Short mmCIF file of all heavy atoms in Angstrom, two decimals:
data_model
loop_
_atom_site.label_atom_id
_atom_site.label_comp_id
_atom_site.label_asym_id
_atom_site.label_seq_id
_atom_site.Cartn_x
_atom_site.Cartn_y
_atom_site.Cartn_z
N LEU A 1 -1.61 -10.15 5.10
CA LEU A 1 -0.21 -9.87 5.37
C LEU A 1 -0.01 -8.72 6.35
O LEU A 1 -0.89 -7.88 6.55
CB LEU A 1 0.51 -9.49 4.04
CG LEU A 1 0.59 -10.56 2.98
CD1 LEU A 1 1.15 -9.99 1.68
CD2 LEU A 1 1.47 -11.72 3.44
N GLU A 2 1.16 -8.69 6.98
CA GLU A 2 1.52 -7.54 7.80
C GLU A 2 1.82 -6.38 6.87
O GLU A 2 2.10 -6.56 5.67
CB GLU A 2 2.74 -7.88 8.66
CG GLU A 2 2.43 -8.91 9.74
CD GLU A 2 3.61 -9.22 10.61
OE1 GLU A 2 4.76 -9.01 10.18
OE2 GLU A 2 3.38 -9.74 11.75
N SER A 3 1.78 -5.18 7.42
CA SER A 3 1.78 -3.99 6.57
C SER A 3 3.04 -3.87 5.72
O SER A 3 2.98 -3.43 4.56
CB SER A 3 1.65 -2.73 7.45
OG SER A 3 2.68 -2.68 8.42
N ASP A 4 4.22 -4.26 6.25
CA ASP A 4 5.45 -4.12 5.47
C ASP A 4 5.43 -5.04 4.23
O ASP A 4 5.85 -4.65 3.16
CB ASP A 4 6.70 -4.39 6.32
CG ASP A 4 6.66 -5.71 7.07
OD1 ASP A 4 5.55 -6.26 7.23
OD2 ASP A 4 7.71 -6.16 7.50
N ASP A 5 4.92 -6.26 4.40
CA ASP A 5 4.80 -7.19 3.25
C ASP A 5 3.71 -6.71 2.29
O ASP A 5 3.86 -6.86 1.08
CB ASP A 5 4.45 -8.60 3.75
CG ASP A 5 5.59 -9.22 4.53
OD1 ASP A 5 6.77 -8.91 4.24
OD2 ASP A 5 5.33 -10.02 5.45
N ALA A 6 2.64 -6.13 2.81
CA ALA A 6 1.60 -5.63 1.95
C ALA A 6 2.08 -4.43 1.09
O ALA A 6 1.78 -4.37 -0.10
CB ALA A 6 0.39 -5.15 2.80
N VAL A 7 2.89 -3.59 1.71
CA VAL A 7 3.46 -2.47 0.93
C VAL A 7 4.37 -2.97 -0.16
O VAL A 7 4.39 -2.44 -1.29
CB VAL A 7 4.22 -1.51 1.88
CG1 VAL A 7 5.07 -0.51 1.10
CG2 VAL A 7 3.25 -0.78 2.77
N TYR A 8 5.12 -4.03 0.09
CA TYR A 8 6.00 -4.62 -0.91
C TYR A 8 5.20 -5.07 -2.13
O TYR A 8 5.67 -4.92 -3.29
CB TYR A 8 6.76 -5.81 -0.31
CG TYR A 8 7.59 -6.59 -1.30
CD1 TYR A 8 8.73 -6.04 -1.89
CD2 TYR A 8 7.24 -7.88 -1.66
CE1 TYR A 8 9.49 -6.77 -2.80
CE2 TYR A 8 7.96 -8.62 -2.58
CZ TYR A 8 9.11 -8.05 -3.14
OH TYR A 8 9.84 -8.77 -4.05
N LEU A 9 4.00 -5.62 -1.91
CA LEU A 9 3.17 -6.04 -3.04
C LEU A 9 2.57 -4.88 -3.78
O LEU A 9 2.42 -4.92 -5.01
CB LEU A 9 2.03 -6.95 -2.55
CG LEU A 9 2.41 -8.29 -1.93
CD1 LEU A 9 1.14 -9.12 -1.71
CD2 LEU A 9 3.38 -9.06 -2.81
N LEU A 10 2.26 -3.81 -3.08
CA LEU A 10 1.54 -2.68 -3.69
C LEU A 10 2.45 -1.67 -4.37
O LEU A 10 2.05 -1.04 -5.37
CB LEU A 10 0.76 -1.95 -2.61
CG LEU A 10 -0.52 -2.60 -2.09
CD1 LEU A 10 -1.00 -1.91 -0.82
CD2 LEU A 10 -1.62 -2.61 -3.15
N GLU A 11 3.68 -1.50 -3.92
CA GLU A 11 4.43 -0.33 -4.31
C GLU A 11 4.75 -0.20 -5.79
O GLU A 11 4.91 0.90 -6.29
CB GLU A 11 5.75 -0.27 -3.47
CG GLU A 11 6.65 -1.43 -3.62
CD GLU A 11 7.86 -1.33 -2.69
OE1 GLU A 11 7.97 -0.32 -1.98
OE2 GLU A 11 8.67 -2.29 -2.67
N ASP A 12 4.85 -1.33 -6.51
CA ASP A 12 5.22 -1.29 -7.92
C ASP A 12 4.01 -1.34 -8.86
O ASP A 12 4.16 -1.34 -10.09
CB ASP A 12 6.19 -2.42 -8.26
CG ASP A 12 7.50 -2.27 -7.53
OD1 ASP A 12 7.99 -1.14 -7.37
OD2 ASP A 12 8.08 -3.32 -7.12
N LEU A 13 2.81 -1.38 -8.30
CA LEU A 13 1.62 -1.48 -9.15
C LEU A 13 1.25 -0.14 -9.74
O LEU A 13 1.63 0.93 -9.24
CB LEU A 13 0.42 -1.99 -8.31
CG LEU A 13 0.53 -3.42 -7.75
CD1 LEU A 13 -0.73 -3.72 -6.95
CD2 LEU A 13 0.73 -4.44 -8.85
N GLU A 14 0.54 -0.21 -10.85
CA GLU A 14 -0.01 1.03 -11.44
C GLU A 14 -0.97 1.67 -10.46
O GLU A 14 -1.62 1.01 -9.65
CB GLU A 14 -0.76 0.70 -12.75
CG GLU A 14 0.11 0.11 -13.86
CD GLU A 14 1.06 1.14 -14.41
OE1 GLU A 14 0.81 2.35 -14.29
OE2 GLU A 14 2.10 0.71 -15.02
N LYS A 15 -1.05 3.01 -10.53
CA LYS A 15 -1.87 3.74 -9.57
C LYS A 15 -3.32 3.27 -9.58
O LYS A 15 -3.95 3.14 -8.55
CB LYS A 15 -1.80 5.24 -9.88
CG LYS A 15 -2.39 6.15 -8.82
CD LYS A 15 -1.56 6.08 -7.57
CE LYS A 15 -2.12 7.02 -6.49
NZ LYS A 15 -1.39 6.94 -5.23
N ALA A 16 -3.84 2.99 -10.78
CA ALA A 16 -5.24 2.56 -10.87
C ALA A 16 -5.43 1.23 -10.16
O ALA A 16 -6.43 1.00 -9.44
CB ALA A 16 -5.65 2.42 -12.34
N ASP A 17 -4.46 0.29 -10.32
CA ASP A 17 -4.57 -0.99 -9.64
C ASP A 17 -4.42 -0.85 -8.15
O ASP A 17 -5.13 -1.49 -7.38
CB ASP A 17 -3.50 -1.95 -10.17
CG ASP A 17 -3.77 -2.43 -11.59
OD1 ASP A 17 -4.96 -2.55 -11.94
OD2 ASP A 17 -2.80 -2.63 -12.35
N GLN A 18 -3.50 0.05 -7.71
CA GLN A 18 -3.38 0.29 -6.28
C GLN A 18 -4.71 0.78 -5.68
O GLN A 18 -5.14 0.30 -4.64
CB GLN A 18 -2.31 1.37 -6.04
CG GLN A 18 -0.89 0.85 -6.02
CD GLN A 18 0.07 1.95 -5.55
OE1 GLN A 18 -0.31 3.02 -5.09
NE2 GLN A 18 1.38 1.67 -5.70
N THR A 19 -5.30 1.75 -6.37
CA THR A 19 -6.56 2.31 -5.88
C THR A 19 -7.68 1.25 -5.78
O THR A 19 -8.41 1.18 -4.79
CB THR A 19 -7.03 3.46 -6.79
OG1 THR A 19 -5.98 4.45 -6.86
CG2 THR A 19 -8.29 4.09 -6.26
N GLU A 20 -7.76 0.43 -6.81
CA GLU A 20 -8.81 -0.62 -6.84
C GLU A 20 -8.59 -1.64 -5.71
O GLU A 20 -9.53 -2.02 -5.02
CB GLU A 20 -8.84 -1.32 -8.19
CG GLU A 20 -9.92 -2.39 -8.26
CD GLU A 20 -9.91 -3.11 -9.62
OE1 GLU A 20 -9.27 -2.60 -10.57
OE2 GLU A 20 -10.53 -4.20 -9.69
N ILE A 21 -7.35 -2.03 -5.55
CA ILE A 21 -7.05 -3.03 -4.49
C ILE A 21 -7.28 -2.42 -3.11
O ILE A 21 -7.88 -3.06 -2.24
CB ILE A 21 -5.59 -3.52 -4.65
CG1 ILE A 21 -5.48 -4.36 -5.92
CG2 ILE A 21 -5.17 -4.33 -3.44
CD1 ILE A 21 -4.05 -4.66 -6.31
N LEU A 22 -6.80 -1.20 -2.88
CA LEU A 22 -6.96 -0.58 -1.59
C LEU A 22 -8.43 -0.33 -1.24
O LEU A 22 -8.80 -0.34 -0.05
CB LEU A 22 -6.20 0.76 -1.55
CG LEU A 22 -4.67 0.63 -1.46
CD1 LEU A 22 -3.99 1.98 -1.68
CD2 LEU A 22 -4.25 0.05 -0.11
N SER A 23 -9.26 -0.15 -2.27
CA SER A 23 -10.70 0.05 -1.99
C SER A 23 -11.35 -1.18 -1.37
O SER A 23 -12.43 -1.07 -0.79
CB SER A 23 -11.41 0.46 -3.28
OG SER A 23 -11.44 -0.63 -4.19
N GLN A 24 -10.71 -2.35 -1.53
CA GLN A 24 -11.25 -3.58 -0.98
C GLN A 24 -10.65 -3.92 0.40
O GLN A 24 -10.91 -5.01 0.92
CB GLN A 24 -10.99 -4.73 -1.97
CG GLN A 24 -11.54 -4.45 -3.35
CD GLN A 24 -11.20 -5.56 -4.34
OE1 GLN A 24 -11.39 -6.75 -4.09
NE2 GLN A 24 -10.66 -5.17 -5.49
N ILE A 25 -9.84 -3.02 0.94
CA ILE A 25 -9.22 -3.25 2.24
C ILE A 25 -10.00 -2.44 3.29
O ILE A 25 -10.47 -1.35 3.03
CB ILE A 25 -7.74 -2.72 2.21
CG1 ILE A 25 -6.99 -3.35 1.03
CG2 ILE A 25 -7.02 -3.05 3.51
CD1 ILE A 25 -6.82 -4.84 1.07
N PRO A 26 -10.16 -3.01 4.50
CA PRO A 26 -10.83 -2.24 5.56
C PRO A 26 -10.21 -0.86 5.76
O PRO A 26 -9.00 -0.66 5.57
CB PRO A 26 -10.63 -3.13 6.79
CG PRO A 26 -10.51 -4.51 6.25
CD PRO A 26 -9.79 -4.37 4.94
N ALA A 27 -11.04 0.12 6.15
CA ALA A 27 -10.64 1.53 6.17
C ALA A 27 -9.39 1.75 7.00
O ALA A 27 -8.46 2.49 6.57
CB ALA A 27 -11.79 2.37 6.68
N ALA A 28 -9.29 1.19 8.19
CA ALA A 28 -8.14 1.43 9.06
C ALA A 28 -6.86 0.90 8.44
O ALA A 28 -5.81 1.57 8.42
CB ALA A 28 -8.37 0.79 10.45
N ASP A 29 -6.93 -0.31 7.91
CA ASP A 29 -5.76 -0.90 7.25
C ASP A 29 -5.38 -0.15 5.98
O ASP A 29 -4.21 0.05 5.67
CB ASP A 29 -6.00 -2.36 6.89
CG ASP A 29 -6.18 -3.23 8.16
OD1 ASP A 29 -5.66 -2.84 9.21
OD2 ASP A 29 -6.82 -4.28 8.07
N ARG A 30 -6.41 0.33 5.24
CA ARG A 30 -6.16 1.09 4.04
C ARG A 30 -5.43 2.37 4.36
O ARG A 30 -4.47 2.75 3.65
CB ARG A 30 -7.50 1.38 3.32
CG ARG A 30 -7.28 2.16 2.03
CD ARG A 30 -8.57 2.25 1.23
NE ARG A 30 -9.63 2.99 1.89
CZ ARG A 30 -10.76 2.49 2.34
NH1 ARG A 30 -10.95 1.16 2.27
NH2 ARG A 30 -11.65 3.23 2.94
N ALA A 31 -5.81 3.06 5.39
CA ALA A 31 -5.15 4.32 5.77
C ALA A 31 -3.68 4.05 6.12
O ALA A 31 -2.79 4.85 5.76
CB ALA A 31 -5.88 4.97 6.94
N THR A 32 -3.42 2.97 6.80
CA THR A 32 -2.03 2.62 7.19
C THR A 32 -1.20 2.39 5.93
O THR A 32 -0.04 2.87 5.84
CB THR A 32 -2.01 1.35 8.06
OG1 THR A 32 -2.72 1.65 9.28
CG2 THR A 32 -0.59 0.96 8.40
N LEU A 33 -1.74 1.63 4.97
CA LEU A 33 -0.98 1.30 3.78
C LEU A 33 -0.77 2.54 2.91
O LEU A 33 0.31 2.74 2.34
CB LEU A 33 -1.71 0.24 2.98
CG LEU A 33 -1.79 -1.14 3.67
CD1 LEU A 33 -2.66 -2.10 2.83
CD2 LEU A 33 -0.42 -1.74 3.86
N GLU A 34 -1.80 3.38 2.80
CA GLU A 34 -1.68 4.60 2.00
C GLU A 34 -0.62 5.53 2.58
O GLU A 34 0.16 6.15 1.85
CB GLU A 34 -3.03 5.32 1.92
CG GLU A 34 -4.02 4.60 1.02
CD GLU A 34 -5.41 5.24 1.06
OE1 GLU A 34 -5.69 5.97 2.05
OE2 GLU A 34 -6.19 4.99 0.14
N ARG A 35 -0.55 5.57 3.90
CA ARG A 35 0.47 6.41 4.55
C ARG A 35 1.87 5.86 4.26
O ARG A 35 2.79 6.62 3.95
CB ARG A 35 0.23 6.47 6.07
CG ARG A 35 1.22 7.36 6.82
CD ARG A 35 0.92 7.36 8.30
NE ARG A 35 1.02 6.02 8.88
CZ ARG A 35 0.72 5.76 10.13
NH1 ARG A 35 0.27 6.68 10.93
NH2 ARG A 35 0.86 4.50 10.58
N SER A 36 2.05 4.56 4.35
CA SER A 36 3.36 3.96 4.07
C SER A 36 3.78 4.19 2.64
O SER A 36 4.96 4.42 2.36
CB SER A 36 3.30 2.46 4.38
OG SER A 36 3.12 2.23 5.76
N LEU A 37 2.83 4.14 1.70
CA LEU A 37 3.16 4.32 0.29
C LEU A 37 3.53 5.74 -0.04
O LEU A 37 4.16 6.00 -1.06
CB LEU A 37 1.97 3.88 -0.59
CG LEU A 37 1.71 2.39 -0.62
CD1 LEU A 37 0.34 2.09 -1.26
CD2 LEU A 37 2.82 1.65 -1.37
N GLU A 38 3.19 6.69 0.85
CA GLU A 38 3.54 8.10 0.64
C GLU A 38 5.01 8.35 1.00
O GLU A 38 5.58 9.37 0.55
CB GLU A 38 2.65 8.99 1.47
CG GLU A 38 1.21 9.05 0.97
CD GLU A 38 0.31 9.83 1.89
OE1 GLU A 38 0.81 10.32 2.95
OE2 GLU A 38 -0.88 9.97 1.57
N TYR A 39 5.63 7.50 1.75
CA TYR A 39 7.03 7.67 2.11
C TYR A 39 7.93 7.38 0.94
O TYR A 39 7.55 6.58 0.06
CB TYR A 39 7.39 6.81 3.33
CG TYR A 39 6.64 7.15 4.59
CD1 TYR A 39 5.88 6.20 5.24
CD2 TYR A 39 6.68 8.44 5.11
CE1 TYR A 39 5.19 6.50 6.41
CE2 TYR A 39 5.98 8.75 6.27
CZ TYR A 39 5.24 7.79 6.91
OH TYR A 39 4.54 8.11 8.05
N PRO A 40 9.13 7.97 0.88
CA PRO A 40 10.01 7.76 -0.26
C PRO A 40 10.38 6.26 -0.42
O PRO A 40 10.50 5.55 0.55
CB PRO A 40 11.24 8.57 0.08
CG PRO A 40 10.80 9.58 1.10
CD PRO A 40 9.68 8.92 1.86
N GLU A 41 10.52 5.84 -1.66
CA GLU A 41 10.95 4.46 -1.93
C GLU A 41 12.35 4.24 -1.34
O GLU A 41 13.23 5.07 -1.49
CB GLU A 41 10.98 4.23 -3.45
CG GLU A 41 11.27 2.79 -3.82
CD GLU A 41 11.17 2.57 -5.31
OE1 GLU A 41 10.69 3.47 -6.03
OE2 GLU A 41 11.55 1.45 -5.77
N GLY A 42 12.54 3.09 -0.69
CA GLY A 42 13.81 2.78 -0.10
C GLY A 42 14.03 3.42 1.27
O GLY A 42 15.15 3.38 1.80
N SER A 43 12.99 4.02 1.83
CA SER A 43 13.09 4.65 3.15
C SER A 43 12.60 3.72 4.24
O SER A 43 11.98 2.68 3.97
CB SER A 43 12.28 5.94 3.17
OG SER A 43 10.89 5.65 3.08
N ALA A 44 12.85 4.11 5.50
CA ALA A 44 12.38 3.34 6.64
C ALA A 44 10.85 3.24 6.64
O ALA A 44 10.29 2.24 7.08
CB ALA A 44 12.86 3.93 7.92
N GLY A 45 10.16 4.26 6.11
CA GLY A 45 8.71 4.26 6.07
C GLY A 45 8.16 3.14 5.21
O GLY A 45 7.09 2.61 5.48
#
C-alpha cells in the first residue's frame, strides 16, 4: 500500500502489534510510517 493507506491500517493497532508488523517492513518504508504515526491523529501528517 501507499503510505497513507498503510498508516490507516496501523494507527488503531496495539503498540505491540504495530512494532511487530513494522519490524517486517523494509527500513526506509518503516521509518516513513513511524514518522507519520508520530503526528497527531486527525492531522495532515
Side-chain angles (χ1 to χ4, degrees):
L1 296 172
E2 293 182 337
S3 58
D4 53 341
D5 292 329
V7 168
Y8 173 69
L9 295 188
L10 286 167
E11 60 185 356
D12 295 324
L13 296 179
E14 297 291 338
K15 191 66 178 178
D17 289 327
Q18 277 189 10
T19 302
E20 181 181 345
I21 291 168
L22 286 170
S23 68
Q24 302 176 52
I25 307 296
D29 294 336
R30 180 170 65 248
T32 297
L33 294 174
E34 288 174 340
R35 182 180 61 185
S36 294
L37 289 168
E38 290 174 358
Y39 296 123
E41 185 176 351
S43 67

